Amino acid sequence: MTFTEPEEGDRPVPSWPLTLSFIVPPHSAQFGYGGTLEPSDYLKRLTAYMDAAEAIGVTGAFVYDFPVAMDPWLAGFDVLAGSTALEPIVAVRPHQESAASVARRVADLGYRFGRPTHVNLVAGATRPSRAAADDHGDKVAARAELGRYAERLRTELDQRCDPATGRSLLVTPSSATPGLVPADCVLMMARPRTALAESVDRAREEQHTDRVSMLVGVVARDTEDEAWAAAHRLGTPDRRQQIAGRMFMSQVVSSEHLASYALAEEEEIHDERLWYGAPARGIDAPKLVGSVDQVAAWLMSCRALGVTDLIIDLAPDSAEYALVGRVVQACVCP
């Protein structure tokens, strides 16, 4: 989503965030566990989330590809078919799909729906999905191959996609492993501001991009006390959720997730309101907790550090997006 702000003289003030995205809800009863829903129930939930997200101006729809998730291309099709403006960002594993095959799917979806589908290049967050990638022998070699794949995919997309549909962007998660992966935007989880500043600077220098997208959850209410009460209700321990979180954590190899786990072990709350206390933290991004104005102020501090785009982590209920919308509006018109 691109906001229009007042102009300063002859120069327009850059909009922020450049894009606003959300996480597409899964077809399971809970993320990562709980059994699959009936297709009609899944589509009803998906529609409720998409309608609520679109109502606050969300245009990006991130589709995960964890081992228990539905095929991300099918979920992306559901997003395009069931929404009016959402553009899916589909997770793609290079060792599973050729660049030509991915570009063909993106081009065909653009033809079918008249708006772009974007690609999130992931090396694989969990060990089972990394089996083929580990054949490269080491992480540096695997990242170099990811970079070459990104170059091939960009070429294929430029050749196959209709420019009138809109440019399909390449996104890739930040990584502690050195090596250029040419992409339009680097994705990272929220983290304490000192660490965030270091991560943003490194990503921009190493990956040669000015676009940095931050994934964060939001629990905002009219007052700080109401927000923390809501956060603790959402984070009420659930045995199945805790087991699913521990199982996920035991399989993870993603440096982004591992960094979040380390921060969660250090302290439950960082930088006043960055909360790592959810029992499913093995799956969830950290959450900003506070009043609408407090959360907006924290996000605006991230703008000053170089964050350009926002991804709102999966909310427990579609009604949460109305509050997220108030936060984002406060960022636009502080």
Side-chain angles (χ1 to χ4, degrees):
M1 154 177 158
T2 300
F3 295 99
T4 301
E5 293 190 0
E7 294 190 354
E8 291 181 347
D10 295 328
R11 296 182 60 189
V13 179
S15 60
W16 194 89
L18 294 179
T19 59
L20 180 63
S21 301
F22 82 130
I23 302 298
V24 173
H27 68 306
S28 54
Q30 298 289 338
F31 190 87
Y33 73 98
T36 56
L37 299 171
E38 289 295 320
S40 59
D41 292 332
Y42 155 66
L43 291 172
K44 285 179 183 177
R45 180 168 69 175
L46 177 62
T47 298
Y49 272 72
M50 292 193 300
D51 288 349
E54 282 193 288
I56 66 167
V58 168
T59 57
F62 272 81
V63 183
Y64 280 154
D65 185 23
F66 290 122
V68 295
M70 184 165 61
D71 180 271
W73 290 108
L74 179 55
F77 183 93
D78 286 337
V79 168
L80 288 163
S83 66
T84 60
L86 294 177
E87 299 173 2
I89 304 99
V90 178
V92 167
R93 303 180 189 278
H95 59 277
Q96 293 180 349
E97 300 183 75
S98 72
S101 175
V102 170
R104 179 182 178 184
R105 291 187 181 195
V106 169
D108 287 351
L109 287 171
Y111 160 75
R112 174 68 175 80
F113 292 100
R115 59 188 189 269
T117 291
H118 310 288
V119 176
N120 180 17
L121 288 179
V122 296
T126 56
R127 286 190 177 86
S129 62
R130 286 282 309 231
D134 286 344
D135 291 342
H136 292 294
D138 60 59
K139 290 183 177 181
V140 173
R143 186 155 180 84
E145 176 56 34
L146 185 65
R148 290 188 288 271
Y149 182 93
E151 291 179 340
R152 294 194 298 271
L153 180 55
R154 180 77 269 166
T155 299
E156 291 281 351
L157 289 170
D158 291 343
Q159 290 175 349
R160 291 174 180 265
C161 295
D162 184 353
T165 302
R167 191 169 189 264
S168 293
L169 302 179
L170 296 185
V171 179
T172 194
S174 176
S175 175
T177 304
L180 171 64
V181 177
D184 299 286
C185 183
V186 173
L187 183 163
M188 61 183 63
M189 286 190 185
R191 57 200 70 182
R193 283 169 293 212
T194 299
L196 180 65
E198 295 172 354
S199 298
V200 170
D201 288 345
R202 177 175 178 266
R204 296 177 79 168
E205 179 180 357
E206 185 175 84
Q207 302 308 315
H208 305 166
T209 181
D210 289 331
R211 296 278 296 273
V212 175
S213 191
M214 185 177 72
L215 170 63
V216 66
V218 169
V219 183
R221 296 293 187 270
D222 289 327
T223 70
E224 183 174 14
D225 287 344
E226 289 173 342
W228 282 113
H232 290 300
R233 284 196 300 272
L234 297 174
T236 300
D238 177 288
R239 184 171 179 273
R240 292 178 303 166
Q241 194 176 32
Q242 289 176 315
I243 291 172
R246 286 197 294 268
M247 289 178 62
F248 183 86
M249 291 168 68
S250 70
Q251 299 170 353
V252 158
V253 294
S254 159
S255 58
E256 280 292 292
H257 284 82
L258 293 174
S260 287
Y261 303 159
L263 287 165
E265 291 300 323
E266 285 179 18
E267 203 167 354
E268 183 175 317
I269 302 170
H270 292 261
D271 285 3
E272 304 92 42
R273 59 196 69 268
L274 191 62
W275 184 57
Y276 287 82
R281 69 183 184 214
I283 297 171
D284 292 344
K287 303 180 189 305
L288 288 172
V289 182
S291 71
V292 167
D293 289 341
Q294 287 172 330
V295 173
W298 205 98
L299 289 175
M300 289 302 286
S301 73
C302 298
R303 176 186 187 177
L305 298 177
V307 172
T308 59
D309 301 70
L310 287 180
I311 308 164
I312 304 301
D313 196 27
L314 185 63
D317 187 275
S318 59
E320 290 290 317
Y321 291 109
L323 290 155
V324 173
R326 289 174 56 192
V327 169
V328 176
Q329 188 61 35
C331 292
V332 177
C333 303

